[in-house]
Amino acid sequence: MGPKSSTSNASEAQRVDFRTNPQEYKHWKLSVDGKVARLALDVEESATLFSGYELKLNSYDLGVDIELYDALQRIRFEHPGVGAVVLTSDKPRVFCAGANIRMLSQSTHAHKVNFCKFTNETRNGIEDAAEFSGIRFLAAINGACAGGGYELALACEHIMLIDDGSSTVSLPELPLLAVLPGTGGLTRLVDKRKVRHDRADYFCTTSEGIRGKRATDWDLVDEVIPRSKFDETVLSRATEFAAVTDRPLDGKGVELTPLNRNIEKDRITDDTLSIDFQRDLSLATITIFAPNTPPPLDVAGIEEEGPRFWPLAMTRDLEDAILELRVNEEDIGTWVFKTEGDPDLVRDAEKPLLDNADHWLAREILLFMKRTFKRIDVSSRSIITLVEPGSCFVGTLLELVFAADRSFMLEGAFENSNIAAAEIVLTDMNFGPLVMPNGLTRLEHRFLKDQSMVDKTKIQIGTKLSASDAEELGLVTFSPDDIDWEDEVRIAIEERASFSPDALTGMEASLRFAGPETLETKIFGRLSAWQNWIFQRPNAVGEGGALRVYGSGQKATYNKQRV
Amino acid sequence: MGPKSSTSNASEAQRVDFRTNPQEYKHWKLSVDGKVARLALDVEESATLFSGYELKLNSYDLGVDIELYDALQRIRFEHPGVGAVVLTSDKPRVFCAGANIRMLSQSTHAHKVNFCKFTNETRNGIEDAAEFSGIRFLAAINGACAGGGYELALACEHIMLIDDGSSTVSLPELPLLAVLPGTGGLTRLVDKRKVRHDRADYFCTTSEGIRGKRATDWDLVDEVIPRSKFDETVLSRATEFAAVTDRPLDGKGVELTPLNRNIEKDRITDDTLSIDFQRDLSLATITIFAPNTPPPLDVAGIEEEGPRFWPLAMTRDLEDAILELRVNEEDIGTWVFKTEGDPDLVRDAEKPLLDNADHWLAREILLFMKRTFKRIDVSSRSIITLVEPGSCFVGTLLELVFAADRSFMLEGAFENSNIAAAEIVLTDMNFGPLVMPNGLTRLEHRFLKDQSMVDKTKIQIGTKLSASDAEELGLVTFSPDDIDWEDEVRIAIEERASFSPDALTGMEASLRFAGPETLETKIFGRLSAWQNWIFQRPNAVGEGGALRVYGSGQKATYNKQRV
């Protein structure tokens, strides 16, 4: 069964699992030698995520990328000494041929889009590590490098191409498949590497690719190195890059032990959250639980708790929930976020992170939280956050209110309930560490019209804010009282389920990212939108479309109309 | 015959003509009183561009917008005293219902996209006038204002809503039609008016719209005014806005006389350019001719020549050519630009503009040139510019080289020809007045990697540059000699014709706008891409899609899958 028939029902077998570990890798080899890690692609052709294709020439499917992402996380958390990562291939004469074309051509539109989103996030994560974690990435291109292979290289800080008389870098998607390079390639070419647009145009329409002097002259790669000197030059560069890291060779890594997930038909539970489905409303309610024991006070305590440390455990659960829901629950269009537990323990759990933000481990956890909340921003799901009595929307978790397309906070208590009215609490977590893809904090984005509101809210750090306080400070969308609550929330959810999912996706992607643009917003906002469009067009996916006929010997036929 | 069957063949009758004048307007009434112009929408229901729909409730089709654009141009050029424009309606109780839905639902995908592009450019032009021309726009919303009607208001600097107990502003596209507001609405809401994203979310999903205090509290409008005071308040605001303009009440306007266009089957000619079609190559060659008489030396001379002044005449012809080709020649995917004539006369024609850039008329002509070149940037056509002997790529016309996806300059002369090798000349025109939608000059965009190259080229202003000079300065993509020229150019053109037009559109839109983002790039790059995607989706345009069934009494049915 191919991804075409990928399931959107929790009970079926073809569920994609994002959990893996190095012992289970089939496609990547991770080795660490002092400050340098080597991550080598050696794809096992037959170990595909779905049936119907083979992963020839180091091409990849989502399964290969899930391993890559896992390996990057392990380098970050389990190998604190690593300061440089060499991305290379263990196959002779081929680095990576990019996303598998047969897999793409037999995939549903939704799977293609989901696949691209995840691979994009992984590559953005590589750049995040280079910028903030002290881990620099080198692409050691030791063979043919096409499409997604070159896009992976583009995510690295330094690109080294072997000069063997034949290996090229190329983005042949447009001429061969009538689609765009889907993993940030176009954007990184002109916006990151600042390749001249006319040269980029030539490059992207030349399926055989570019090598040698032109590759460096045009800034497509940083170095072209003869085969005889390739390995030694790569090692020397990597050593040089790793030397300047501030990551500690003697640091105590945190092992990312398996998540403790339980999947039932209409309910998923983890240690720190639960997901409940109401399929008739296309709804998933994600409830995040506060810590239930006092968190550690310092870094030693964080190291001691390791993967059980609440901010890390919660972020891992939340990330896996997001990925789960995106890929395995495509019909669930609305995510409602709730929280439950002691607000003080959430605040206490954040504190040692904020107090030790320069320590490599605290930094890694904060960066991981940032990246995970970004995944929410770019998820094509409606986000509604409900602040009710018994909740703990403090700092980190309060970001779920700001990330929401709409939030509701109950004014007062529920009738006949002895649970006190909800309060929300701002912390330093809301004013810096957890920026959005556009580089703004969610509060800066919220108050684009009047940035003085950011300062006004900052004064309130630590204060318990009632619904009317929150409304006055502009922190929630609506604050109905008990009489109106049920109706207002119900209508919002039912209404959402009644709208076109596609129009919602386009609208949310447009409204969620006002203000400045970055490589990331350009990739998710512009490039992905164009790619989604092209993925729908008969010239790519229709009867005679290029993606459909590729490899069949048949020539693609195009409707010539320009749109 | 509806736009579904809109022709892509020059010889058929349904060709859209962008030329009009106030005497021919059917939908707009333009009146000027001193410094204030009033532009009132009063759509003639039956005067549609195509058959199959009626323009009820001041809804519009491309024909209505062509008149609006013409009126704006006439205000700029023919009414130099105008400092404020009131956009309002002459229909009772309705301002504007937006784009006509029946028209949209029966249109081809290409027509929808073209329609949105033109209306977007017109609204961007309104903002351009407000920022640079001293013409401020007020929306006097004197009745119901929905969708494109509100988007037109959003393009104005000041939005005034009548308080009559019923009139609202709304963007009901998503809930009613399963598409996005297609004319910049989402972007302007959050990026221009900086409406909070959660409020924008609520607003865009509420088909009945918002009025009264919430409309001002949420920054959707600037003022809500009781019916009894509406007209007088509008007039008083307009007078106030107009008072500060630097446009001269005693200025001498330039009448925009009819273009002198001749359309044959495979050739279109104007006074300053010709277009030749090679339909087997999906190719149009646009040749622009230099002035053939010495241009005037000063403003008095420009005023004297009026519409015959070469920069104005050429820009008008070029603009009309772009619009023509976009809408009437959808199968022509490649535009090749050439020039012909005396380079010195091009330089001389620019000079009085650059020397008098503060004079209202010179300023208007320069702004018009800027906007017209921007139309090239956002055209979904491949642009190839050929610099050959006999050409005159100087200043203004040299922008055609920089705007191109790829440019070729012949090194030396053609064999057996006595025409000397081509030279190109940079002028001040390349370093400021003609910025792209992203706010950069095309040279700044070209040299994003190394801005010192901009200074390096600036030193060369006025120098005649050979092909090898141009290549060395990075000004052209390739500079083959006579031996390679024909092959290289032919291959580039043939190759282009062999690619998927959709993939080319997505690629070009991604590569052409590196660097900073603006309202305009967000509208054309992101919003339009999402809208194009949605315009393809069955949930909008399929059998039971919302756009198809609207008005039929039938309820739209949606595939719930989120992508």
Side-chain angles (χ1 to χ4, degrees):
Chain A
M1 181 162 57
K4 197 170 248 166
S5 39
S6 93
T7 173
S8 60
N9 184 318
S11 61
E12 290 181 32
Q14 279 292 316
R15 210 171 176 97
V16 176
D17 196 336
F18 289 85
R19 294 169 298 179
T20 185
N21 66 70
Q23 285 68 51
E24 292 181 13
Y25 292 175
K26 300 183 186 81
H27 310 294
W28 289 93
K29 291 178 191 156
L30 170 60
S31 54
V32 175
D33 183 6
K35 292 185 162 196
V36 175
R38 184 173 183 278
L39 196 45
L41 186 59
D42 189 7
V43 172
E44 192 181 319
E45 288 189 6
S46 60
T48 59
L49 195 59
F50 304 98
S51 61
Y53 56 94
E54 286 188 319
L55 296 171
K56 301 209 166 155
L57 296 171
N58 260 2
S59 64
Y60 59 84
D61 65 0
L62 181 58
V64 177
D65 227 64
I66 286 173
E67 287 185 12
L68 171 62
Y69 176 65
D70 185 77
L72 297 171
Q73 286 291 86
R74 298 204 182 255
I75 290 170
R76 282 173 173 257
F77 282 100
E78 299 184 355
H79 303 283
V82 167
V85 179
V86 175
L87 275 170
T88 193
S89 159
D90 270 357
K91 287 246 192 301
R93 288 180 305 283
V94 60
F95 173 75
C96 170
N100 186 272
I101 297 163
R102 260 178 201 288
M103 176 278 292
L104 279 180
S105 78
Q106 72 179 49
S107 292
T108 59
H109 181 63
H111 184 79
K112 282 198 276 287
V113 172
N114 266 321
F115 169 69
C116 289
K117 186 163 288 172
F118 181 78
T119 55
N120 267 315
E121 288 174 319
T122 303
R123 280 131 198 85
N124 293 345
I126 287 175
E127 290 171 329
D128 177 74
E131 191 172 354
F132 300 110
S133 281
I135 309 176
R136 298 165 80 181
F137 287 78
L138 299 90
I141 305 177
N142 51 352
C145 173
Y150 180 55
E151 290 180 293
L152 180 58
L154 281 170
C156 298
E157 215 179 329
H158 194 74
I159 306 180
M160 310 169 82
L161 174 62
I162 198 165
D163 187 0
D164 59 2
S166 71
S167 295
T168 65
V169 295
S170 67
L171 290 176
E173 284 87 343
L174 183 139
L176 295 187
L177 306 170
V179 299
L180 303 184
T183 323
L186 300 183
T187 311
R188 286 202 174 83
L189 265 189
V190 293
D191 263 304
K192 181 184 182 183
R193 297 191 65 90
K194 300 186 168 61
V195 173
R196 237 172 58 197
H197 76 116
D198 54 342
R199 288 173 167 174
D201 179 274
Y202 180 84
F203 175 60
C204 298
T205 55
T206 303
S207 54
E208 61 270 30
I210 288 180
R211 63 188 178 84
K213 190 166 178 303
R214 180 170 274 184
T216 48
D217 282 355
W218 285 21
D219 298 308
L220 300 171
V221 305
D222 296 294
E223 293 185 79
V224 173
I225 302 153
R227 175 178 285 285
S228 60
K229 296 200 173 156
F230 191 73
D231 290 346
E232 85 187 71
T233 312
V234 167
L235 184 62
S236 121
R237 285 286 176 282
T239 309
E240 191 184 305
F241 276 41
V244 297
T245 188
D246 62 353
R247 282 165 63 92
L249 253 183
D250 59 350
K252 190 174 171 229
V254 169
E255 197 196 332
L256 300 175
T257 51
L259 297 184
N260 186 20
R261 164 151 294 179
N262 183 31
I263 302 178
E264 298 165 57
K265 185 172 178 305
D266 289 325
R267 186 176 167 83
I268 296 176
T269 51
D270 287 288
D271 288 340
T272 68
L273 60 80
S274 67
I275 310 173
D276 292 279
F277 296 95
Q278 279 173 272
R279 299 187 187 280
D280 54 328
L281 289 171
S282 302
L283 175 69
T285 301
I286 303 157
T287 306
I288 300 181
F289 308 111
N292 46 25
T293 53
L297 302 173
D298 52 23
V299 169
I302 298 176
E303 286 176 337
E304 172 74 25
E305 287 203 350
R308 288 172 296 111
F309 178 53
W310 182 84
L312 178 55
M314 184 278 291
T315 306
R316 291 183 72 203
D317 287 340
L318 178 59
E319 175 183 63
D320 204 54
I322 296 165
L323 298 174
E324 261 292 328
L325 290 172
R326 277 194 201 158
V327 170
N328 295 322
E329 298 286 354
E330 291 169 351
D331 285 3
I332 300 296
T334 302
W335 296 349
V336 163
F337 280 103
K338 296 185 178 187
T339 60
E340 221 177 281
D342 185 344
D344 291 346
L345 292 182
V346 175
R347 184 203 55 204
D348 293 348
E350 286 179 3
K351 196 164 180 308
L353 289 176
L354 293 166
D355 288 349
N356 299 283
D358 288 341
H359 184 272
W360 80 269
L361 179 55
R363 182 173 71 186
E364 277 312 323
I365 295 172
L366 286 169
L367 290 172
F368 181 32
M369 292 165 81
K370 175 187 74 176
R371 293 196 306 280
T372 302
F373 280 99
K374 281 184 184 179
R375 289 197 196 263
I376 297 175
D377 297 326
V378 302
S379 287
S380 56
R381 298 295 190 280
S382 298
I383 312 291
I384 297 177
T385 300
L386 301 181
V387 184
E388 298 171 308
S391 65
C392 50
F393 286 98
V394 174
T396 309
L397 297 183
L398 188 52
E399 288 292 307
L400 296 168
V401 172
F402 306 146
D405 298 303
R406 218 176 290 178
S407 61
F408 296 86
M409 181 168 181
L410 182 76
E411 169 80 60
F414 283 122
E415 210 191 333
N416 302 325
S417 161
N418 57 4
I419 306 179
E423 290 164 329
I424 62 173
V425 181
L426 292 156
T427 74
D428 284 325
M429 202 62 98
N430 307 114
F431 294 87
L434 305 179
V435 296
M436 301 171 59
N438 59 11
L440 299 182
T441 65
R442 286 181 186 77
L443 283 175
E444 285 166 346
H445 179 257
R446 192 170 186 83
F447 298 125
L448 267 185
K449 173 89 180 177
D450 179 6
Q451 290 288 297
S452 78
M453 286 300 294
V454 177
D455 301 319
K456 242 186 207 160
T457 52
K458 203 165 185 177
I459 298 168
Q460 301 295 331
I461 283 182
T463 311
K464 293 182 172 175
L465 302 169
S466 69
S468 52
D469 296 336
E471 168 100 38
E472 203 185 307
L473 283 166
L475 299 176
V476 296
T477 320
F478 298 113
S479 54
D481 62 16
D482 177 54
I483 296 168
D484 295 324
W485 177 265
E486 207 189 306
D487 266 1
E488 279 200 33
V489 171
R490 184 181 51 77
I491 288 168
I493 290 170
E494 286 178 1
E495 207 180 57
R496 218 72 185 182
S498 77
F499 294 146
S500 160
D502 310 322
L504 285 172
T505 293
M507 179 190 74
E508 289 157 3
S510 299
L511 298 182
R512 284 183 192 165
F513 301 102
E517 298 277 330
T518 62
L519 213 54
E520 284 180 54
T521 60
K522 285 187 179 196
I523 288 170
F524 288 119
R526 164 186 315 238
L527 188 66
S528 301
W530 283 112
Q531 180 77 310
N532 286 2
W533 176 68
I534 291 163
F535 274 160
Q536 286 279 295
R537 299 282 290 168
N539 285 341
V541 298
E543 213 46 61
L547 205 53
R548 283 281 281 280
V549 305
Y550 186 79
S552 70
Q554 200 185 324
K555 211 173 143 23
T557 50
Y558 299 132
N559 174 340
K560 289 295 176 188
Q561 195 177 42
R562 264 288 196 144
V563 177
Chain B
M1 179 162 56
K4 196 170 251 170
S5 39
S6 94
T7 173
S8 59
N9 184 319
S11 62
E12 290 182 30
Q14 279 292 316
R15 210 170 176 97
V16 176
D17 195 336
F18 288 85
R19 296 169 296 178
T20 185
N21 65 70
Q23 286 68 51
E24 292 179 14
Y25 291 174
K26 299 181 186 84
H27 310 294
W28 288 94
K29 291 178 190 156
L30 170 61
S31 54
V32 176
D33 184 6
K35 292 184 163 199
V36 176
R38 184 173 183 278
L39 195 45
L41 186 59
D42 188 6
V43 172
E44 192 181 319
E45 288 189 7
S46 60
T48 59
L49 195 59
F50 303 98
S51 60
Y53 57 93
E54 286 188 319
L55 295 171
K56 301 211 165 151
L57 295 171
N58 261 2
S59 64
Y60 59 85
D61 65 0
L62 181 58
V64 178
D65 227 64
I66 287 172
E67 288 186 11
L68 171 62
Y69 177 64
D70 185 76
L72 297 171
Q73 286 291 85
R74 296 197 185 263
I75 290 170
R76 282 171 173 258
F77 283 100
E78 298 184 355
H79 303 283
V82 167
V85 179
V86 175
L87 275 170
T88 192
S89 158
D90 270 358
K91 287 246 192 302
R93 287 180 306 283
V94 60
F95 174 76
C96 170
N100 187 271
I101 297 164
R102 262 179 199 287
M103 176 278 293
L104 278 180
S105 77
Q106 71 179 51
S107 292
T108 59
H109 181 62
H111 184 80
K112 284 198 274 287
V113 172
N114 265 322
F115 169 68
C116 289
K117 186 163 287 172
F118 182 77
T119 55
N120 267 315
E121 288 174 318
T122 303
R123 280 131 198 84
N124 293 345
I126 287 175
E127 289 171 329
D128 177 74
E131 191 174 353
F132 300 110
S133 281
I135 308 177
R136 299 165 79 181
F137 287 78
L138 299 89
I141 304 177
N142 52 352
C145 174
Y150 180 54
E151 290 180 294
L152 180 58
L154 281 171
C156 298
E157 216 177 329
H158 194 75
I159 306 180
M160 310 170 82
L161 173 62
I162 198 165
D163 187 1
D164 58 2
S166 70
S167 294
T168 64
V169 296
S170 66
L171 291 176
E173 285 88 342
L174 184 139
L176 296 187
L177 307 170
V179 299
L180 303 184
T183 324
L186 299 182
T187 311
R188 287 203 173 83
L189 264 188
V190 294
D191 263 304
K192 181 184 182 182
R193 297 191 65 90
K194 300 185 167 61
V195 173
R196 237 173 56 199
H197 76 117
D198 54 342
R199 289 173 168 172
D201 179 275
Y202 180 84
F203 175 61
C204 297
T205 55
T206 303
S207 53
E208 61 271 30
I210 288 180
R211 63 187 178 86
K213 188 167 178 303
R214 178 170 274 185
T216 49
D217 281 354
W218 286 19
D219 299 308
L220 300 171
V221 306
D222 295 294
E223 293 185 79
V224 174
I225 302 153
R227 174 177 286 284
S228 60
K229 297 201 172 155
F230 191 74
D231 290 345
E232 85 189 70
T233 312
V234 167
L235 184 62
S236 121
R237 284 288 173 279
T239 309
E240 191 184 308
F241 276 41
V244 296
T245 187
D246 62 353
R247 282 165 62 92
L249 252 183
D250 59 350
K252 189 174 172 229
V254 168
E255 198 196 331
L256 301 175
T257 51
L259 297 184
N260 187 20
R261 163 150 295 180
N262 183 32
I263 302 178
E264 298 165 57
K265 185 172 179 305
D266 288 324
R267 186 174 167 83
I268 296 176
T269 51
D270 288 289
D271 288 340
T272 68
L273 60 80
S274 67
I275 310 173
D276 292 280
F277 296 95
Q278 281 173 271
R279 299 187 186 280
D280 54 329
L281 289 170
S282 302
L283 174 69
T285 301
I286 303 155
T287 307
I288 301 181
F289 308 111
N292 45 25
T293 54
L297 302 172
D298 52 22
V299 168
I302 298 176
E303 286 175 339
E304 172 73 27
E305 286 202 351
R308 289 172 296 110
F309 177 54
W310 182 84
L312 178 56
M314 184 278 290
T315 307
R316 290 183 73 203
D317 287 340
L318 178 59
E319 176 182 63
D320 204 53
I322 295 165
L323 297 174
E324 261 291 329
L325 290 172
R326 276 194 200 159
V327 170
N328 296 322
E329 298 286 354
E330 290 170 353
D331 284 3
I332 300 295
T334 303
W335 297 350
V336 164
F337 281 103
K338 297 186 180 187
T339 60
E340 223 178 280
D342 185 343
D344 292 344
L345 292 182
V346 175
R347 185 202 54 204
D348 293 349
E350 286 179 5
K351 198 168 179 305
L353 290 176
L354 293 166
D355 289 348
N356 299 283
D358 289 340
H359 184 271
W360 80 268
L361 179 55
R363 181 173 72 185
E364 277 310 324
I365 295 172
L366 286 168
L367 290 171
F368 181 33
M369 292 165 81
K370 175 187 74 176
R371 294 194 306 280
T372 302
F373 280 97
K374 282 184 183 178
R375 288 196 196 264
I376 297 176
D377 297 326
V378 301
S379 288
S380 55
R381 297 295 190 282
S382 297
I383 312 291
I384 297 177
T385 300
L386 302 181
V387 184
E388 298 171 309
S391 65
C392 50
F393 285 99
V394 174
T396 309
L397 296 183
L398 188 51
E399 289 293 306
L400 295 168
V401 172
F402 306 146
D405 298 302
R406 218 175 291 179
S407 61
F408 297 86
M409 181 167 181
L410 181 75
E411 169 81 60
F414 284 122
E415 210 191 332
N416 302 325
S417 162
N418 56 4
I419 307 179
E423 290 164 330
I424 61 173
V425 182
L426 291 156
T427 74
D428 284 326
M429 203 62 99
N430 307 113
F431 294 87
L434 306 179
V435 295
M436 300 171 61
N438 60 10
L440 301 181
T441 65
R442 285 180 187 77
L443 284 175
E444 285 166 346
H445 179 256
R446 191 169 187 83
F447 298 125
L448 267 185
K449 173 90 180 177
D450 179 6
Q451 290 289 297
S452 77
M453 286 300 295
V454 177
D455 300 320
K456 241 186 209 160
T457 52
K458 203 166 184 176
I459 299 169
Q460 301 295 332
I461 283 181
T463 311
K464 292 182 174 177
L465 303 169
S466 69
S468 52
D469 297 335
E471 169 100 39
E472 202 184 308
L473 283 167
L475 298 176
V476 295
T477 319
F478 298 113
S479 54
D481 60 16
D482 176 53
I483 296 170
D484 296 324
W485 177 265
E486 207 188 306
D487 266 2
E488 280 201 33
V489 170
R490 184 182 50 77
I491 288 169
I493 290 170
E494 286 178 1
E495 207 181 58
R496 218 74 185 179
S498 77
F499 295 146
S500 160
D502 309 323
L504 285 172
T505 292
M507 179 191 74
E508 289 156 3
S510 299
L511 299 181
R512 284 183 191 165
F513 301 102
E517 298 277 329
T518 62
L519 213 55
E520 284 179 53
T521 60
K522 286 187 177 196
I523 288 170
F524 288 118
R526 163 184 315 234
L527 188 67
S528 302
W530 283 112
Q531 180 76 308
N532 287 3
W533 176 68
I534 290 162
F535 274 160
Q536 286 280 293
R537 298 283 289 167
N539 284 342
V541 298
E543 211 48 61
L547 204 52
R548 283 281 282 279
V549 306
Y550 185 79
S552 70
Q554 201 186 324
K555 210 171 144 23
T557 50
Y558 299 132
N559 174 340
K560 290 294 176 189
Q561 195 178 40
R562 264 287 194 143
V563 177

